[in-house]
Amino acid sequence: MKTTIPVAVAFVAGVVLVVSFFFDEGTWVGGISQEFKIWMTIVGGFTILLGAVSITRVNWSAVQRKKEGWPYKLLTLISIFVMAIPSVLPNTWSPLFGRDVGSIYDWLFTYLDSPMMATMFATLAFYIASAAYRAFRARTAESTVLLVTATVVMLWRVPMGEAFLNMFPGDIPNWLNTYVMNGANLAVQRGIIIGAALGAASMSLRIILGIERTYMGKG
Amino acid sequence: MSGIEIFEIWIMAFVTLALFSFLYKDNPLYKIAEHVFAGLSAGYYFGLIWDTVIVTQLWQPMIGGKWELIIPGILGLLMFARFWPKYSWVSRVSLAFYMGTASGIFLTSQLHGLVLKQMQATMLPLVNGDGFGAAALAIIVVIGVISTLAYFYFSKEHTGALGVTAKVGIWFIMISFGAHFGYTVMGRVSLLIGRVQFLASDWIGSFSQIF
Amino acid sequence: MSFWDKMQNMDRRWVYLMVAVAVIIPFFATPDLPISITPEAQMLYDAVEAVPDSSTVFVVFDYYPSTIAECEPMAISALRHFYRKDCKVITLSNIPLGGPSMAERVTREIALEYDKVYGEDFVNLGYKANYVAVMSGMGTSIESIFPADNSGTPLSELPMMDSVVNYDQVAFIFEIADNATADYWVSIVNAQYGIPIGCGTTAVSAPKYYAFVGAGQFVGLLGGMKGAAEYELLIGHSGSAVLGMGAQSLVHLLIIFLVIVGNLGFFLGRRGKSGEIS
């Protein structure tokens, strides 16, 4: 029962969505399929909610047991509640509640969460510069091709570099766009897209037919 | 610039500099910002899903008469069974629905929307009135696609014709990954420029208002 | 230890400092540089120009706050372009962290420039979980997937949405993404419903999407901050992306310099001489 019911559910749900692809939206199959899609958004929402609750539980447990670094985890917990609680209260009580512009939720996102996330990713510029200096080596013929292409593309994509490339004859920027980006690069990306899509389709078929069950976990 | 606006800019500048401080070395200020970020993000997820999914998508239509929505509601709640090991298997039913429906959409859309369309775009007529350049490009693309697929085909040993084709694929892949690296550098630098634009214009600009 | 060996062992923080200096200088001494327009950006601009005035269009905010520097200038330019054409703009997001909030803020800010009214000229649908279901479900009925907008107002109370049932009434989708959601707009929406899609994406994702442009699945492409700068120039409204091109140039040149110095150090230093190079 622990495996049969889930496999049956995945089969029915998958088959309905596959079959509906071949029918008009107004048919009964189309109707069921649309209803399933609405259900998907709801179940999908719960999975994200599960993640948020899980983070809260993990941090709560660490604070209770006074694990190493627990004051920081307490800060995480406080941040979760300060953000979440005002957002679930109705904005008819106060404009500070809810999620609209002017609410606590929106303020905390705009002035704390958003700049912090942007900064965390901005630090990657320093790391990639350091990595380029330390590890980007022309050790073999293949890595030399990679290095030369990267360098020329870096030049081409900025005004100063493009001005430099234009000092040479042969309209190098246009050649790069045509034969590197829309030639070799496009071909490789297309190969990867086709390969990955075939993989995704076959994995989907395995899930629908109950051959692939690893998503259920153990037990 | 009002006092509140200046305060907001300084808050943003403070968290920006706190996170950049990690570049010198790990420190408590960075750790505080990092943990506040994690908490606020989790809180954001909760608030958003509560409002847009639980209230708007589930509860309101349900009390408005769409009682069939109780099914996804129950499926969603069953997800939380994962917190109790004895009953965690129950959450498999919800997960199976999620995976089954997503697979149903994927199976058709990946084949119809990606595989067929991309293959169709690869098989182009060589004589198309666009001259030698276009024909050469079409040949490059065909060779590149086939050799890339050959390189990533691991079910057979890369010897003989497959080995040669895969070898050609490596050269194509190196060019593409080189371009990718160049673009990645560009992307990461752009993100840094965004933060520096804020610090250089908004934050330093606020100095004249205060001092 | 030779000079080159010392260079190889340089503290990484010196590299960080060089990057910081290179990115800051252009903000105080802005170089005036010509920015060329790539064919992909021109194609996107032309495709938007070809959308009939007053049509209903989607502007999709599929990016996280992390890539705001690259994606927001694209979103702003797209909105300006559509508002100028009196298009009815529907925004939504498949990103659970910040997408709907950024869409709300940006759309309202730009709407003020063109005297656009919420509910009549633009609507923010907000977010719903599970983007494959959202994209696929809107093909039948937008209202069944989004019963209310981002603020909780039922779609039936928004005049603009009276005439919009599903993709049949949507003339164009301008997708701004920093992740794989763009792939699904292609494989689900463009492939099954035939709606033209233009994509603005981060530089990291851009090389992949040349394959979609080549297949006609995207009508055009903006790659990274340079792509955003190109679109700003095309619509004749320079913004933060054009401003950032000076710093972008200088840091690229610095990184190329570092790569050359790093390789010279490697070949001329101890490791190169000891035959470690294969």
Side-chain angles (χ1 to χ4, degrees):
Chain A
M1 188 173 77
K2 289 180 181 179
T3 311
T4 313
I5 294 175
V7 167
V9 168
F11 177 78
V12 172
V15 166
V16 167
L17 269 294
V18 171
V19 171
S20 72
F21 179 80
F22 302 97
F23 286 84
D24 277 344
E25 287 137 14
T27 58
W28 66 271
V29 183
I32 296 175
S33 154
Q34 182 67 10
E35 195 60 37
F36 274 15
K37 287 169 194 169
I38 297 168
W39 294 9
M40 283 170 82
T41 66
I42 294 169
V43 179
F46 274 99
T47 61
I48 297 174
L49 212 55
L50 179 75
V53 173
S54 187
I55 292 172
T56 312
R57 271 170 55 102
V58 168
N59 282 285
W60 185 265
S61 156
V63 170
Q64 265 191 327
R65 291 175 195 175
K66 294 226 167 26
K67 281 188 178 173
E68 194 189 340
W70 69 269
Y72 293 118
K73 304 210 184 292
L74 180 63
L75 207 55
T76 302
L77 275 179
I78 293 168
S79 304
I80 292 172
F81 291 119
V82 166
M83 189 77 160
I85 292 172
S87 74
V88 299
L89 298 174
N91 59 3
T92 46
W93 292 2
S94 162
L96 294 175
F97 299 150
R99 293 190 307 111
D100 286 344
V101 175
S103 64
I104 293 171
Y105 181 86
D106 188 66
W107 193 92
L108 288 171
F109 169 75
T110 308
Y111 298 107
L112 281 173
D113 207 25
S114 175
M116 282 198 272
M117 195 173 184
T119 309
M120 282 197 170
F121 278 77
T123 55
L124 295 175
F126 296 100
Y127 301 142
I128 207 164
S130 175
Y133 175 63
R134 286 164 185 282
F136 207 23
R137 301 279 182 263
R139 287 170 199 265
T140 61
E142 287 92 339
S143 60
T144 307
V145 169
L146 192 142
L147 191 146
V148 170
T149 313
T151 307
V152 178
V153 167
M154 270 192 264
L155 278 174
W156 165 55
R157 291 298 291 176
V158 288
M160 273 186 208
E162 195 171 6
F164 173 74
L165 290 175
N166 280 329
M167 288 162 63
F168 300 94
D171 196 3
I172 296 174
N174 185 38
W175 189 89
L176 280 171
N177 194 51
T178 308
Y179 292 102
V180 174
M181 296 314 297
N182 283 297
N185 168 68
L186 180 149
V188 170
Q189 298 303 330
R190 186 166 283 167
I192 293 172
I193 288 168
I194 292 171
L198 286 170
S202 59
M203 180 58 82
S204 299
L205 191 61
R206 285 170 61 88
I207 289 171
I208 293 169
L209 297 177
I211 302 164
E212 178 62 49
R213 301 175 182 188
T214 47
Y215 67 88
M216 291 187 201
K218 292 174 186 170
Chain B
M1 208 181 275
S2 70
I4 289 178
E5 281 171 335
I6 292 172
F7 172 70
E8 287 166 348
I9 287 170
W10 276 73
I11 287 276
M12 287 196 280
F14 174 75
V15 293
T16 301
L17 294 172
L19 288 168
F20 274 146
S21 70
F22 183 76
L23 292 167
Y24 184 69
K25 66 175 187 182
D26 200 0
N27 63 79
L29 213 57
Y30 170 79
K31 277 204 173 78
I32 288 170
E34 186 190 24
H35 284 81
V36 168
F37 167 69
L40 291 180
S41 299
Y44 188 96
Y45 282 125
F46 189 92
L48 182 70
I49 299 301
W50 181 264
D51 183 18
T52 61
V53 178
I54 309 299
V55 175
T56 316
Q57 188 82 329
L58 175 64
W59 182 249
Q60 284 174 349
M62 208 165 71
I63 56 169
K66 279 197 80 178
W67 288 103
E68 67 273 21
L69 291 181
I70 204 160
I71 300 169
I74 290 169
L75 285 174
L77 286 173
L78 290 182
M79 286 275 188
F80 290 86
R82 296 187 85 81
F83 291 139
W84 293 276
K86 197 178 168 189
Y87 304 104
S88 68
W89 70 272
V90 178
S91 68
R92 286 178 181 176
V93 180
S94 325
L95 213 52
F97 175 77
Y98 190 90
M99 296 298 286
T101 44
S103 298
I105 294 177
F106 269 97
L107 181 56
T108 48
S109 66
Q110 295 284 306
L111 294 175
H112 171 254
L114 295 181
V115 177
L116 294 180
K117 302 272 181 189
Q118 289 292 320
M119 284 171 66
Q120 191 181 19
T122 309
M123 296 175 224
L124 298 172
L126 287 180
V127 183
N128 52 17
D130 290 338
F132 174 75
L137 193 62
I139 293 169
I140 290 173
V141 170
V142 169
I143 296 171
V145 171
I146 293 171
S147 59
T148 302
L149 285 168
Y151 177 76
F152 285 112
Y153 184 72
F154 299 119
S155 300
K156 192 176 178 295
E157 198 180 341
H158 284 187
T159 52
L162 181 66
V164 173
T165 316
K167 191 82 182 160
V168 174
I170 291 175
W171 292 96
F172 271 91
I173 290 166
M174 286 299 140
I175 295 172
S176 178
F177 285 6
H180 224 117
F181 183 84
Y183 266 80
T184 302
V185 168
M186 182 186 158
R188 298 312 179 212
V189 172
S190 300
L191 306 184
L192 177 62
I193 290 169
R195 295 323 297 153
V196 173
Q197 269 179 346
F198 161 71
L199 290 172
S201 60
D202 296 0
W203 185 50
I204 293 182
S206 76
F207 283 24
S208 60
Q209 306 277 321
I210 303 170
F211 306 110
Chain C
M1 191 183 271
S2 73
F3 167 76
W4 292 111
D5 287 326
K6 280 182 189 165
M7 288 295 283
Q8 291 288 290
N9 295 318
M10 182 171 64
D11 190 326
R12 68 185 192 288
R13 284 174 290 197
W14 288 110
V15 176
Y16 297 169
L17 185 65
M18 282 187 256
V19 172
V21 171
V23 83
I24 289 168
I25 286 174
F27 287 104
F28 298 99
T30 316
D32 189 19
L33 298 158
I35 297 168
S36 64
I37 309 293
T38 52
E40 290 73 22
Q42 185 69 52
M43 283 159 63
L44 180 51
Y45 175 82
D46 293 343
V48 173
E49 272 296 292
V51 172
D53 289 356
S54 310
S55 307
T56 301
V57 297
F58 272 18
V59 176
V60 188
F61 285 66
D62 279 349
Y63 60 90
Y64 287 88
S66 51
T67 58
I68 210 164
E70 289 180 284
C71 295
E72 194 163 283
M74 297 178 191
I76 289 171
S77 296
L79 287 168
R80 283 193 173 127
H81 201 174
F82 285 126
Y83 282 150
R84 201 186 284 172
K85 290 170 67 64
D86 267 335
C87 287
K88 309 286 178 197
V89 178
I90 298 173
T91 58
L92 68 131
S93 177
N94 292 296
I95 300 301
L97 185 54
S101 302
M102 291 187 290
E104 188 80 20
R105 179 176 52 78
V106 174
T107 315
R108 284 182 188 271
E109 269 175 24
I110 306 304
L112 287 175
E113 291 177 19
Y114 295 86
D115 292 329
K116 299 294 177 187
V117 179
Y118 188 80
E120 290 175 17
D121 303 303
F122 68 102
V123 163
N124 180 19
L125 295 178
Y127 169 83
K128 286 287 176 281
N130 203 334
Y131 50 77
V132 288
V134 171
M135 290 175 201
S136 185
M138 284 196 296
T140 302
S141 158
I142 293 174
E143 197 173 6
S144 69
I145 300 294
F146 289 94
D149 70 357
N150 188 49
S151 305
T153 309
L155 292 201
S156 52
E157 291 176 18
L158 299 167
M160 193 186 110
M161 297 306 289
D162 285 350
S163 56
V164 184
V165 179
N166 53 32
Y167 290 134
D168 289 346
Q169 291 78 40
V170 177
F172 194 89
I173 295 173
F174 201 120
E175 156 79 342
I176 302 147
D178 66 359
N179 59 83
T181 47
D183 299 27
Y184 302 106
W185 283 106
V186 163
S187 65
I188 296 170
V189 183
N190 174 265
Q192 289 176 37
Y193 300 95
I195 303 172
I197 300 178
C199 182
T201 187
T202 53
V204 176
S205 306
K208 178 182 180 183
Y209 295 144
Y210 276 83
F212 292 148
V213 179
Q217 292 176 293
F218 279 155
V219 293
L221 178 70
L222 306 177
M225 192 180 257
K226 168 73 170 20
E230 290 171 29
Y231 210 79
E232 284 180 353
L233 291 176
L234 283 165
I235 64 157
H237 204 304
S238 290
S240 62
V242 169
L243 192 68
M245 281 299 101
Q248 189 89 49
S249 293
L250 213 55
V251 182
H252 277 218
L253 295 182
L254 171 69
I255 291 174
I256 291 167
F257 171 75
L258 288 171
V259 169
I260 293 168
V261 172
N263 275 278
L264 279 176
F266 180 72
F267 287 106
L268 300 175
R270 194 179 297 163
R271 275 178 287 178
K273 283 175 185 163
S274 64
E276 199 184 292
I277 315 153
S278 54

